[in-house]
């Protein structure tokens, strides 16, 4: 008969241990006369090995908390700032955009780079467009 251990509801992991039975075997007859007296033949018995499960303590796994998703802060939309830039001299003013427009018209063709030097006391604008130096009059009204 195999022995078993009762396990509680808390146990989950089980180890197996073999249980062996020992059985006495019949000795062979020494003489023919004694063998004849025994009408029964010698019996051999097979031994079954049963395993008993041994309970191990249950390991508790920690409960994982849901991590909130990180939200990137919203970047402010850059606002295009309109700049009004004027040069004033002797009570008169000229918008810078007008000076740039007149320099482009004086040069006559598209330029990759233009540098403008404005001298209000001379009423002149000196400029360099793509390496070519020129000048033009600026009227302050």
């Amino acid at each position: 008969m195999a022995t078993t251990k009762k396990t509680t509801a808390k146990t989950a992991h089980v180890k197996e241990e073999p249980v062996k039975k020992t059985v006495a075997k019949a000795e062979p007859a020494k003489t023919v006369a004694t063998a004849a007296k025994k009408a029964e033949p010698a019996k051999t018995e097979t031994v079954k090995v049963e395993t008993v499960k041994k309970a191990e303590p249950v390991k508790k796994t920690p409960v994982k908390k849901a991590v909130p998703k990180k939200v990137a802060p919203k970047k402010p939309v850059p606002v295009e700032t309109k700049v009004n830039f004027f040069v004033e001299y002797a009570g008169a003013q000229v918008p810078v955009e007008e000076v740039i427009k007149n320099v482009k018209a004086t040069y006559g063709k598209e330029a990759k780079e233009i540098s403008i030097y404005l001298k209000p006391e001379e009423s002149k604008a000196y400029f360099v467009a793509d390496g070519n130096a020129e000048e033009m009059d600026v009227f302050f009204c």
Side-chain angles (χ1 to χ4, degrees), residues 59-135:
K59 294 181 181 179
K60 294 183 180 179
T61 56
V63 178
K64 293 183 179 180
K65 295 181 181 179
V67 178
K69 293 182 180 179
K70 293 182 180 179
V71 178
K74 292 182 180 180
K75 294 181 180 179
V77 178
V79 178
E80 185 69 30
T81 305
K82 183 177 179 184
V83 177
N84 296 316
F85 186 29
F86 297 93
V87 177
E88 255 185 56
Y89 181 72
Q93 63 183 7
V94 175
V96 173
E97 291 85 19
E98 186 178 317
V99 174
I100 294 170
K101 183 176 80 174
N102 289 336
V103 166
K104 286 181 181 179
T106 303
Y107 185 62
K109 50 185 169 176
E110 272 306 304
K112 291 182 182 177
E113 184 178 342
I114 298 174
S115 299
I116 301 171
Y117 306 93
L118 186 62
K119 288 186 117 184
E121 64 273 4
E122 296 177 7
S123 296
K124 297 256 184 198
Y126 299 94
F127 64 92
V128 178
D130 292 335
N132 298 324
E134 295 189 32
E135 65 178 65

Side-chain angles (χ1 to χ4, degrees), residues 20-80:
K20 296 182 181 178
K21 291 183 180 180
T22 57
V23 177
K25 294 184 181 180
E27 293 183 19
K30 294 181 180 179
T31 61
V32 177
T34 55
K37 289 182 182 178
K38 293 183 180 178
E40 296 180 21
K43 293 183 181 179
T44 58
E45 195 172 308
T46 59
V47 178
K48 292 183 180 179
V49 176
E50 296 181 17
T51 57
V52 177
K53 297 181 178 182
K54 186 176 181 181
E56 289 183 4
V58 176
K59 294 181 181 179
K60 294 183 180 179
T61 56
V63 178
K64 293 183 179 180
K65 295 181 181 179
V67 178
K69 293 182 180 179
K70 293 182 180 179
V71 178
K74 292 182 180 180
K75 294 181 180 179
V77 178
V79 178
E80 185 69 30

